[in-house]
PDB file of all heavy atoms in Angstrom:
ATOM      1  N   HIS A 424     -21.238 -26.256  74.284  1.00 51.00           N
ATOM      2  CA  HIS A 424     -20.569 -26.079  72.954  1.00 51.00           C
ATOM      3  C   HIS A 424     -21.464 -25.238  72.053  1.00 51.00           C
ATOM      4  O   HIS A 424     -22.695 -25.247  72.280  1.00 51.00           O
ATOM      5  CB  HIS A 424     -20.445 -27.595  72.404  1.00 51.00           C
ATOM      6  CG  HIS A 424     -19.541 -28.478  73.159  1.00 51.00           C
ATOM      7  ND1 HIS A 424     -18.200 -28.364  73.009  1.00 51.00           N
ATOM      8  CD2 HIS A 424     -19.751 -29.315  74.102  1.00 51.00           C
ATOM      9  CE1 HIS A 424     -17.618 -29.308  73.926  1.00 51.00           C
ATOM     10  NE2 HIS A 424     -18.672 -29.848  74.559  1.00 51.00           N
ATOM     11  N   PRO A 425     -20.822 -24.625  71.097  1.00 51.00           N
ATOM     12  CA  PRO A 425     -21.627 -23.817  70.100  1.00 51.00           C
ATOM     13  C   PRO A 425     -22.548 -24.679  69.350  1.00 51.00           C
ATOM     14  O   PRO A 425     -22.191 -25.932  69.102  1.00 51.00           O
ATOM     15  CB  PRO A 425     -20.508 -23.238  69.232  1.00 51.00           C
ATOM     16  CG  PRO A 425     -19.387 -24.024  69.393  1.00 51.00           C
ATOM     17  CD  PRO A 425     -19.393 -24.544  70.783  1.00 51.00           C
ATOM     18  N   PRO A 429     -27.489 -23.579  62.548  1.00 55.00           N
ATOM     19  CA  PRO A 429     -27.872 -22.196  62.805  1.00 55.00           C
ATOM     20  C   PRO A 429     -29.075 -22.046  63.728  1.00 55.00           C
ATOM     21  O   PRO A 429     -29.921 -22.934  63.732  1.00 55.00           O
ATOM     22  CB  PRO A 429     -28.171 -21.721  61.444  1.00 55.00           C
ATOM     23  CG  PRO A 429     -27.520 -22.654  60.501  1.00 55.00           C
ATOM     24  CD  PRO A 429     -27.412 -23.980  61.219  1.00 55.00           C
ATOM     25  N   ASP A 449      -7.039  -9.756  43.353  1.00 60.00           N
ATOM     26  CA  ASP A 449      -5.792 -10.473  42.935  1.00 60.00           C
ATOM     27  C   ASP A 449      -4.587  -9.685  43.266  1.00 60.00           C
ATOM     28  O   ASP A 449      -4.467  -8.492  42.910  1.00 60.00           O
ATOM     29  CB  ASP A 449      -5.881 -10.677  41.387  1.00 60.00           C
ATOM     30  CG  ASP A 449      -4.830 -11.576  40.795  1.00 60.00           C
ATOM     31  OD1 ASP A 449      -3.844 -11.926  41.607  1.00 60.00           O
ATOM     32  OD2 ASP A 449      -4.810 -11.910  39.609  1.00 60.00           O
ATOM     33  N   ASN A 455       3.350  -3.009  34.228  1.00 94.00           N
ATOM     34  CA  ASN A 455       2.888  -1.615  33.999  1.00 94.00           C
ATOM     35  C   ASN A 455       1.805  -1.204  34.935  1.00 94.00           C
ATOM     36  O   ASN A 455       1.042  -0.206  34.677  1.00 94.00           O
ATOM     37  CB  ASN A 455       2.407  -1.431  32.617  1.00 94.00           C
ATOM     38  CG  ASN A 455       1.189  -2.146  32.221  1.00 94.00           C
ATOM     39  OD1 ASN A 455       0.913  -3.317  32.876  1.00 94.00           O
ATOM     40  ND2 ASN A 455       0.423  -1.634  31.327  1.00 94.00           N
ATOM     41  N   ALA A 484      -8.333   0.024  43.931  1.00 96.00           N
ATOM     42  CA  ALA A 484      -8.142   0.500  42.557  1.00 96.00           C
ATOM     43  C   ALA A 484      -6.666   0.212  42.112  1.00 96.00           C
ATOM     44  O   ALA A 484      -5.740   0.214  42.930  1.00 96.00           O
ATOM     45  CB  ALA A 484      -8.376   1.957  42.412  1.00 96.00           C
ATOM     46  N   LEU A 574      -1.779  24.779  40.471  1.00 96.00           N
ATOM     47  CA  LEU A 574      -3.047  24.087  39.911  1.00 96.00           C
ATOM     48  C   LEU A 574      -4.152  24.295  40.923  1.00 96.00           C
ATOM     49  O   LEU A 574      -5.296  24.645  40.628  1.00 96.00           O
ATOM     50  CB  LEU A 574      -2.896  22.599  39.751  1.00 96.00           C
ATOM     51  CG  LEU A 574      -1.979  22.217  38.448  1.00 96.00           C
ATOM     52  CD1 LEU A 574      -1.578  20.733  38.656  1.00 96.00           C
ATOM     53  CD2 LEU A 574      -2.908  22.416  37.222  1.00 96.00           C
ATOM     54  N   CYS A 577      -5.274  28.028  40.860  1.00 97.00           N
ATOM     55  CA  CYS A 577      -5.991  28.299  39.631  1.00 97.00           C
ATOM     56  C   CYS A 577      -7.415  27.631  39.569  1.00 97.00           C
ATOM     57  O   CYS A 577      -8.330  28.241  39.055  1.00 97.00           O
ATOM     58  CB  CYS A 577      -5.142  27.931  38.460  1.00 97.00           C
ATOM     59  SG  CYS A 577      -3.648  28.934  38.151  1.00 97.00           S
ATOM     60  N   GLY A 592       5.182  12.730  45.773  1.00 91.00           N
ATOM     61  CA  GLY A 592       6.556  12.878  45.475  1.00 91.00           C
ATOM     62  C   GLY A 592       6.742  13.851  44.262  1.00 91.00           C
ATOM     63  O   GLY A 592       6.227  14.940  44.285  1.00 91.00           O
ATOM     64  N   VAL A 604     -13.127  11.945  18.970  1.00 89.00           N
ATOM     65  CA  VAL A 604     -12.776  11.833  17.597  1.00 89.00           C
ATOM     66  C   VAL A 604     -13.412  10.473  17.082  1.00 89.00           C
ATOM     67  O   VAL A 604     -12.996   9.399  17.510  1.00 89.00           O
ATOM     68  CB  VAL A 604     -11.204  11.821  17.310  1.00 89.00           C
ATOM     69  CG1 VAL A 604     -10.967  11.596  15.919  1.00 89.00           C
ATOM     70  CG2 VAL A 604     -10.676  13.225  17.800  1.00 89.00           C
ATOM     71  N   GLU A 609      -9.757  11.284  22.532  1.00 95.00           N
ATOM     72  CA  GLU A 609      -8.344  11.493  22.171  1.00 95.00           C
ATOM     73  C   GLU A 609      -7.827  12.738  22.873  1.00 95.00           C
ATOM     74  O   GLU A 609      -8.588  13.557  23.155  1.00 95.00           O
ATOM     75  CB  GLU A 609      -8.135  11.532  20.659  1.00 95.00           C
ATOM     76  CG  GLU A 609      -8.379  10.252  19.819  1.00 95.00           C
ATOM     77  CD  GLU A 609      -7.872  10.272  18.496  1.00 95.00           C
ATOM     78  OE1 GLU A 609      -7.244  11.315  18.128  1.00 95.00           O
ATOM     79  OE2 GLU A 609      -8.143   9.371  17.739  1.00 95.00           O
ATOM     80  N   ALA A 636      -6.590  37.846  32.639  1.00 97.00           N
ATOM     81  CA  ALA A 636      -7.039  38.870  33.589  1.00 97.00           C
ATOM     82  C   ALA A 636      -7.362  38.324  34.920  1.00 97.00           C
ATOM     83  O   ALA A 636      -7.031  39.001  35.970  1.00 97.00           O
ATOM     84  CB  ALA A 636      -8.306  39.496  32.950  1.00 97.00           C
ATOM     85  N   LEU A 654      -4.320  23.738  25.496  1.00 98.00           N
ATOM     86  CA  LEU A 654      -5.028  22.700  24.784  1.00 98.00           C
ATOM     87  C   LEU A 654      -6.365  23.092  24.265  1.00 98.00           C
ATOM     88  O   LEU A 654      -7.031  23.917  24.948  1.00 98.00           O
ATOM     89  CB  LEU A 654      -5.196  21.451  25.633  1.00 98.00           C
ATOM     90  CG  LEU A 654      -3.937  20.816  26.214  1.00 98.00           C
ATOM     91  CD1 LEU A 654      -4.282  19.606  27.076  1.00 98.00           C
ATOM     92  CD2 LEU A 654      -2.904  20.405  25.152  1.00 98.00           C
ATOM     93  N   PRO A 675      10.894  39.937  40.814  1.00 90.00           N
ATOM     94  CA  PRO A 675      11.308  41.131  40.194  1.00 90.00           C
ATOM     95  C   PRO A 675      11.090  41.229  38.678  1.00 90.00           C
ATOM     96  O   PRO A 675      11.051  42.253  38.052  1.00 90.00           O
ATOM     97  CB  PRO A 675      12.833  41.214  40.443  1.00 90.00           C
ATOM     98  CG  PRO A 675      13.068  40.223  41.639  1.00 90.00           C
ATOM     99  CD  PRO A 675      11.948  39.248  41.577  1.00 90.00           C
ATOM    100  N   ARG A 683       5.781  39.069  28.105  1.00 97.00           N
ATOM    101  CA  ARG A 683       6.236  38.004  27.201  1.00 97.00           C
ATOM    102  C   ARG A 683       5.024  37.005  26.933  1.00 97.00           C
ATOM    103  O   ARG A 683       4.892  36.553  25.749  1.00 97.00           O
ATOM    104  CB  ARG A 683       7.396  37.128  27.788  1.00 97.00           C
ATOM    105  CG  ARG A 683       8.019  36.181  26.815  1.00 97.00           C
ATOM    106  CD  ARG A 683       9.203  35.446  27.288  1.00 97.00           C
ATOM    107  NE  ARG A 683       8.759  34.568  28.394  1.00 97.00           N
ATOM    108  CZ  ARG A 683       9.698  33.899  29.146  1.00 97.00           C
ATOM    109  NH1 ARG A 683      10.919  34.053  28.988  1.00 97.00           N
ATOM    110  NH2 ARG A 683       9.223  32.968  30.053  1.00 97.00           N
ATOM    111  N   GLU A 701      -0.040  42.988  21.508  1.00 98.00           N
ATOM    112  CA  GLU A 701       0.442  42.732  22.846  1.00 98.00           C
ATOM    113  C   GLU A 701       0.507  43.852  23.779  1.00 98.00           C
ATOM    114  O   GLU A 701       0.287  43.660  25.056  1.00 98.00           O
ATOM    115  CB  GLU A 701       1.812  41.995  22.752  1.00 98.00           C
ATOM    116  CG  GLU A 701       2.885  42.791  21.937  1.00 98.00           C
ATOM    117  CD  GLU A 701       2.913  42.376  20.522  1.00 98.00           C
ATOM    118  OE1 GLU A 701       1.898  41.805  20.023  1.00 98.00           O
ATOM    119  OE2 GLU A 701       3.944  42.445  19.990  1.00 98.00           O
TER     120      GLU A 701
END
Side-chain angles (χ1 to χ4, degrees):
H424 298 277
D449 186 353
N455 66 331
L574 284 166
C577 290
V604 176
E609 290 194 5
L654 301 180
R683 191 177 69 187
E701 53 267 27

